[in-house]
mmCIF file of all heavy atoms in Angstrom:
data_model
loop_
_atom_site.group_PDB
_atom_site.id
_atom_site.type_symbol
_atom_site.label_atom_id
_atom_site.label_comp_id
_atom_site.label_asym_id
_atom_site.label_seq_id
_atom_site.Cartn_x
_atom_site.Cartn_y
_atom_site.Cartn_z
ATOM 1 N N HIS A 409 5.198 36.130 -34.347
ATOM 2 C CA HIS A 409 5.826 37.360 -33.880
ATOM 3 C C HIS A 409 5.244 38.627 -34.456
ATOM 4 O O HIS A 409 4.856 39.558 -33.770
ATOM 5 C CB HIS A 409 7.337 37.313 -34.046
ATOM 6 C CG HIS A 409 8.054 38.535 -33.658
ATOM 7 N ND1 HIS A 409 8.299 39.608 -34.518
ATOM 8 C CD2 HIS A 409 8.470 38.915 -32.405
ATOM 9 C CE1 HIS A 409 8.930 40.570 -33.849
ATOM 10 N NE2 HIS A 409 9.032 40.231 -32.627
ATOM 11 N N ASP A 410 5.210 38.669 -35.785
ATOM 12 C CA ASP A 410 4.711 39.905 -36.423
ATOM 13 C C ASP A 410 3.285 40.303 -36.122
ATOM 14 O O ASP A 410 2.973 41.415 -35.886
ATOM 15 C CB ASP A 410 4.926 39.849 -37.957
ATOM 16 C CG ASP A 410 6.411 39.776 -38.304
ATOM 17 O OD1 ASP A 410 7.285 40.024 -37.404
ATOM 18 O OD2 ASP A 410 6.688 39.524 -39.514
ATOM 19 N N ASP A 411 2.452 39.250 -36.112
ATOM 20 C CA ASP A 411 1.018 39.509 -35.732
ATOM 21 C C ASP A 411 0.933 40.011 -34.276
ATOM 22 O O ASP A 411 0.191 40.944 -33.978
ATOM 23 C CB ASP A 411 0.170 38.212 -35.849
ATOM 24 C CG ASP A 411 -0.179 37.830 -37.303
ATOM 25 O OD1 ASP A 411 -0.049 38.780 -38.132
ATOM 26 O OD2 ASP A 411 -0.484 36.681 -37.505
ATOM 27 N N ILE A 412 1.715 39.480 -33.447
ATOM 28 C CA ILE A 412 1.665 39.854 -31.994
ATOM 29 C C ILE A 412 2.160 41.314 -31.887
ATOM 30 O O ILE A 412 1.519 42.141 -31.210
ATOM 31 C CB ILE A 412 2.543 38.938 -31.179
ATOM 32 C CG1 ILE A 412 1.883 37.572 -31.026
ATOM 33 C CG2 ILE A 412 2.724 39.489 -29.700
ATOM 34 C CD1 ILE A 412 2.738 36.439 -30.439
ATOM 35 N N GLU A 413 3.179 41.638 -32.542
ATOM 36 C CA GLU A 413 3.717 42.983 -32.445
ATOM 37 C C GLU A 413 2.676 43.985 -33.029
ATOM 38 O O GLU A 413 2.522 45.146 -32.444
ATOM 39 C CB GLU A 413 5.076 43.162 -33.178
ATOM 40 C CG GLU A 413 6.210 42.511 -32.463
ATOM 41 C CD GLU A 413 6.448 42.894 -31.008
ATOM 42 O OE1 GLU A 413 5.988 44.019 -30.629
ATOM 43 O OE2 GLU A 413 7.018 42.119 -30.254
ATOM 44 N N ARG A 414 2.055 43.617 -34.074
ATOM 45 C CA ARG A 414 1.043 44.510 -34.678
ATOM 46 C C ARG A 414 -0.306 44.570 -33.923
ATOM 47 O O ARG A 414 -0.777 45.704 -33.591
ATOM 48 C CB ARG A 414 0.802 44.133 -36.123
ATOM 49 C CG ARG A 414 -0.328 44.999 -36.819
ATOM 50 C CD ARG A 414 -0.541 44.728 -38.230
ATOM 51 N NE ARG A 414 0.756 44.940 -38.974
ATOM 52 C CZ ARG A 414 0.937 44.593 -40.276
ATOM 53 N NH1 ARG A 414 -0.054 43.982 -40.904
ATOM 54 N NH2 ARG A 414 2.067 44.799 -40.863
ATOM 55 N N TYR A 415 -0.825 43.389 -33.636
ATOM 56 C CA TYR A 415 -2.211 43.437 -33.163
ATOM 57 C C TYR A 415 -2.329 43.424 -31.655
ATOM 58 O O TYR A 415 -3.356 43.707 -31.093
ATOM 59 C CB TYR A 415 -2.954 42.282 -33.759
ATOM 60 C CG TYR A 415 -3.079 42.397 -35.234
ATOM 61 C CD1 TYR A 415 -2.471 41.460 -36.050
ATOM 62 C CD2 TYR A 415 -3.795 43.452 -35.847
ATOM 63 C CE1 TYR A 415 -2.580 41.564 -37.481
ATOM 64 C CE2 TYR A 415 -3.871 43.625 -37.224
ATOM 65 C CZ TYR A 415 -3.239 42.661 -37.992
ATOM 66 O OH TYR A 415 -3.336 42.754 -39.388
ATOM 67 N N LEU A 416 -1.250 43.136 -30.963
ATOM 68 C CA LEU A 416 -1.327 43.146 -29.502
ATOM 69 C C LEU A 416 -0.536 44.319 -28.877
ATOM 70 O O LEU A 416 -0.336 44.407 -27.667
ATOM 71 C CB LEU A 416 -0.776 41.818 -28.929
ATOM 72 C CG LEU A 416 -1.796 40.666 -29.134
ATOM 73 C CD1 LEU A 416 -1.300 39.357 -28.498
ATOM 74 C CD2 LEU A 416 -3.143 40.964 -28.509
ATOM 75 N N GLN A 417 -0.138 45.267 -29.731
ATOM 76 C CA GLN A 417 0.496 46.465 -29.178
ATOM 77 C C GLN A 417 -0.622 47.233 -28.331
ATOM 78 O O GLN A 417 -1.836 46.996 -28.529
ATOM 79 C CB GLN A 417 0.942 47.384 -30.309
ATOM 80 C CG GLN A 417 -0.126 47.930 -31.168
ATOM 81 C CD GLN A 417 0.403 48.821 -32.260
ATOM 82 O OE1 GLN A 417 0.773 49.948 -31.977
ATOM 83 N NE2 GLN A 417 0.498 48.345 -33.490
ATOM 84 N N SER A 418 -0.134 48.128 -27.446
ATOM 85 C CA SER A 418 -1.114 48.833 -26.659
ATOM 86 C C SER A 418 -0.717 50.279 -26.739
ATOM 87 O O SER A 418 0.166 50.685 -27.459
ATOM 88 C CB SER A 418 -1.068 48.395 -25.191
ATOM 89 O OG SER A 418 0.003 48.954 -24.533
ATOM 90 N N ALA A 419 -1.502 51.132 -26.012
ATOM 91 C CA ALA A 419 -1.280 52.586 -26.054
ATOM 92 C C ALA A 419 0.171 52.946 -25.679
ATOM 93 O O ALA A 419 0.729 53.922 -26.167
ATOM 94 C CB ALA A 419 -2.255 53.296 -25.156
ATOM 95 N N THR A 420 0.751 52.109 -24.723
ATOM 96 C CA THR A 420 2.084 52.538 -24.276
ATOM 97 C C THR A 420 3.114 51.448 -24.554
ATOM 98 O O THR A 420 4.304 51.689 -24.309
ATOM 99 C CB THR A 420 2.020 52.700 -22.722
ATOM 100 O OG1 THR A 420 1.606 51.473 -22.156
ATOM 101 C CG2 THR A 420 1.136 53.818 -22.330
ATOM 102 N N LEU A 421 2.724 50.239 -25.032
ATOM 103 C CA LEU A 421 3.690 49.132 -25.087
ATOM 104 C C LEU A 421 3.630 48.472 -26.458
ATOM 105 O O LEU A 421 2.557 48.383 -27.110
ATOM 106 C CB LEU A 421 3.370 48.115 -24.031
ATOM 107 C CG LEU A 421 3.451 48.527 -22.550
ATOM 108 C CD1 LEU A 421 2.869 47.453 -21.679
ATOM 109 C CD2 LEU A 421 4.841 48.852 -22.152
ATOM 110 N N ASP A 422 4.780 47.941 -26.884
ATOM 111 C CA ASP A 422 4.738 47.149 -28.120
ATOM 112 C C ASP A 422 4.119 45.735 -27.750
ATOM 113 O O ASP A 422 3.866 45.476 -26.561
ATOM 114 C CB ASP A 422 6.121 47.005 -28.778
ATOM 115 C CG ASP A 422 7.165 46.254 -27.873
ATOM 116 O OD1 ASP A 422 6.742 45.464 -27.070
ATOM 117 O OD2 ASP A 422 8.350 46.599 -28.073
ATOM 118 N N GLY A 423 3.901 44.982 -28.749
ATOM 119 C CA GLY A 423 3.144 43.718 -28.551
ATOM 120 C C GLY A 423 3.771 42.811 -27.540
ATOM 121 O O GLY A 423 3.064 42.307 -26.645
ATOM 122 N N SER A 424 5.048 42.561 -27.626
ATOM 123 C CA SER A 424 5.667 41.600 -26.647
ATOM 124 C C SER A 424 5.670 42.125 -25.254
ATOM 125 O O SER A 424 5.430 41.345 -24.311
ATOM 126 C CB SER A 424 7.018 41.092 -27.168
ATOM 127 O OG SER A 424 7.785 42.219 -27.519
ATOM 128 N N ASP A 425 5.906 43.396 -25.143
ATOM 129 C CA ASP A 425 5.955 43.984 -23.697
ATOM 130 C C ASP A 425 4.537 44.011 -23.111
ATOM 131 O O ASP A 425 4.352 43.818 -21.954
ATOM 132 C CB ASP A 425 6.533 45.396 -23.772
ATOM 133 C CG ASP A 425 8.033 45.333 -23.792
ATOM 134 O OD1 ASP A 425 8.624 44.226 -23.594
ATOM 135 O OD2 ASP A 425 8.675 46.357 -24.131
ATOM 136 N N ARG A 426 3.543 44.216 -23.951
ATOM 137 C CA ARG A 426 2.232 44.153 -23.468
ATOM 138 C C ARG A 426 1.817 42.805 -23.004
ATOM 139 O O ARG A 426 1.291 42.578 -21.934
ATOM 140 C CB ARG A 426 1.193 44.659 -24.557
ATOM 141 C CG ARG A 426 -0.230 44.435 -24.133
ATOM 142 C CD ARG A 426 -1.027 43.973 -25.349
ATOM 143 N NE ARG A 426 -2.328 43.452 -24.982
ATOM 144 C CZ ARG A 426 -3.432 44.196 -25.027
ATOM 145 N NH1 ARG A 426 -3.382 45.411 -25.385
ATOM 146 N NH2 ARG A 426 -4.603 43.682 -24.653
ATOM 147 N N VAL A 427 2.251 41.753 -23.739
ATOM 148 C CA VAL A 427 1.956 40.417 -23.357
ATOM 149 C C VAL A 427 2.711 40.079 -22.089
ATOM 150 O O VAL A 427 2.142 39.406 -21.162
ATOM 151 C CB VAL A 427 2.358 39.374 -24.528
ATOM 152 C CG1 VAL A 427 2.219 37.944 -23.965
ATOM 153 C CG2 VAL A 427 1.476 39.617 -25.709
ATOM 154 N N ARG A 428 3.931 40.571 -21.964
ATOM 155 C CA ARG A 428 4.713 40.255 -20.706
ATOM 156 C C ARG A 428 3.925 40.868 -19.483
ATOM 157 O O ARG A 428 3.794 40.199 -18.489
ATOM 158 C CB ARG A 428 6.057 40.950 -20.843
ATOM 159 C CG ARG A 428 7.008 40.685 -19.732
ATOM 160 C CD ARG A 428 8.187 41.639 -19.711
ATOM 161 N NE ARG A 428 8.867 41.666 -20.956
ATOM 162 C CZ ARG A 428 9.950 40.822 -21.268
ATOM 163 N NH1 ARG A 428 10.346 39.926 -20.344
ATOM 164 N NH2 ARG A 428 10.527 40.947 -22.460
ATOM 165 N N LEU A 429 3.442 42.097 -19.592
ATOM 166 C CA LEU A 429 2.774 42.689 -18.516
ATOM 167 C C LEU A 429 1.445 41.953 -18.224
ATOM 168 O O LEU A 429 1.126 41.753 -17.043
ATOM 169 C CB LEU A 429 2.459 44.175 -18.847
ATOM 170 C CG LEU A 429 1.530 44.907 -17.955
ATOM 171 C CD1 LEU A 429 2.124 45.042 -16.481
ATOM 172 C CD2 LEU A 429 1.169 46.346 -18.400
ATOM 173 N N PHE A 430 0.668 41.682 -19.218
ATOM 174 C CA PHE A 430 -0.588 41.033 -19.028
ATOM 175 C C PHE A 430 -0.427 39.570 -18.494
ATOM 176 O O PHE A 430 -1.280 39.108 -17.807
ATOM 177 C CB PHE A 430 -1.436 41.018 -20.316
ATOM 178 C CG PHE A 430 -2.265 42.296 -20.436
ATOM 179 C CD1 PHE A 430 -1.695 43.492 -20.628
ATOM 180 C CD2 PHE A 430 -3.632 42.182 -20.344
ATOM 181 C CE1 PHE A 430 -2.432 44.641 -20.744
ATOM 182 C CE2 PHE A 430 -4.409 43.362 -20.471
ATOM 183 C CZ PHE A 430 -3.818 44.630 -20.694
ATOM 184 N N ARG A 431 0.683 38.985 -18.795
ATOM 185 C CA ARG A 431 0.899 37.598 -18.219
ATOM 186 C C ARG A 431 1.127 37.725 -16.737
ATOM 187 O O ARG A 431 0.741 36.882 -15.928
ATOM 188 C CB ARG A 431 2.071 36.891 -18.904
ATOM 189 C CG ARG A 431 1.788 36.566 -20.389
ATOM 190 C CD ARG A 431 2.632 35.380 -20.825
ATOM 191 N NE ARG A 431 2.111 34.095 -20.252
ATOM 192 C CZ ARG A 431 1.246 33.362 -20.862
ATOM 193 N NH1 ARG A 431 0.887 33.556 -22.111
ATOM 194 N NH2 ARG A 431 0.833 32.221 -20.330
ATOM 195 N N LEU A 432 1.794 38.859 -16.286
ATOM 196 C CA LEU A 432 1.994 39.026 -14.864
ATOM 197 C C LEU A 432 0.618 39.296 -14.244
ATOM 198 O O LEU A 432 0.402 38.672 -13.137
ATOM 199 C CB LEU A 432 2.986 40.186 -14.618
ATOM 200 C CG LEU A 432 3.189 40.603 -13.151
ATOM 201 C CD1 LEU A 432 3.741 39.453 -12.330
ATOM 202 C CD2 LEU A 432 4.180 41.826 -13.070
ATOM 203 N N ALA A 433 -0.191 40.162 -14.823
ATOM 204 C CA ALA A 433 -1.502 40.451 -14.297
ATOM 205 C C ALA A 433 -2.321 39.133 -14.214
ATOM 206 O O ALA A 433 -3.094 38.903 -13.225
ATOM 207 C CB ALA A 433 -2.224 41.471 -15.080
ATOM 208 N N TRP A 434 -2.187 38.280 -15.184
ATOM 209 C CA TRP A 434 -2.922 37.012 -15.199
ATOM 210 C C TRP A 434 -2.473 36.083 -14.075
ATOM 211 O O TRP A 434 -3.216 35.491 -13.368
ATOM 212 C CB TRP A 434 -2.707 36.339 -16.565
ATOM 213 C CG TRP A 434 -3.085 34.890 -16.659
ATOM 214 C CD1 TRP A 434 -4.268 34.378 -16.856
ATOM 215 C CD2 TRP A 434 -2.133 33.804 -16.569
ATOM 216 N NE1 TRP A 434 -4.173 32.946 -16.912
ATOM 217 C CE2 TRP A 434 -2.897 32.598 -16.726
ATOM 218 C CE3 TRP A 434 -0.727 33.679 -16.386
ATOM 219 C CZ2 TRP A 434 -2.316 31.309 -16.637
ATOM 220 C CZ3 TRP A 434 -0.197 32.395 -16.259
ATOM 221 C CH2 TRP A 434 -0.938 31.258 -16.455
#
Side-chain angles (χ1 to χ4, degrees):
H409 177 267
D410 291 350
D411 282 342
I412 290 167
E413 289 303 340
R414 175 173 302 169
Y415 297 115
L416 287 181
Q417 64 180 285
S418 79
T420 59
L421 299 171
D422 63 27
S424 46
D425 281 345
R426 173 221 166 94
V427 173
R428 187 195 305 272
L429 171 65
F430 272 65
R431 291 206 75 95
L432 175 60
W434 165 83

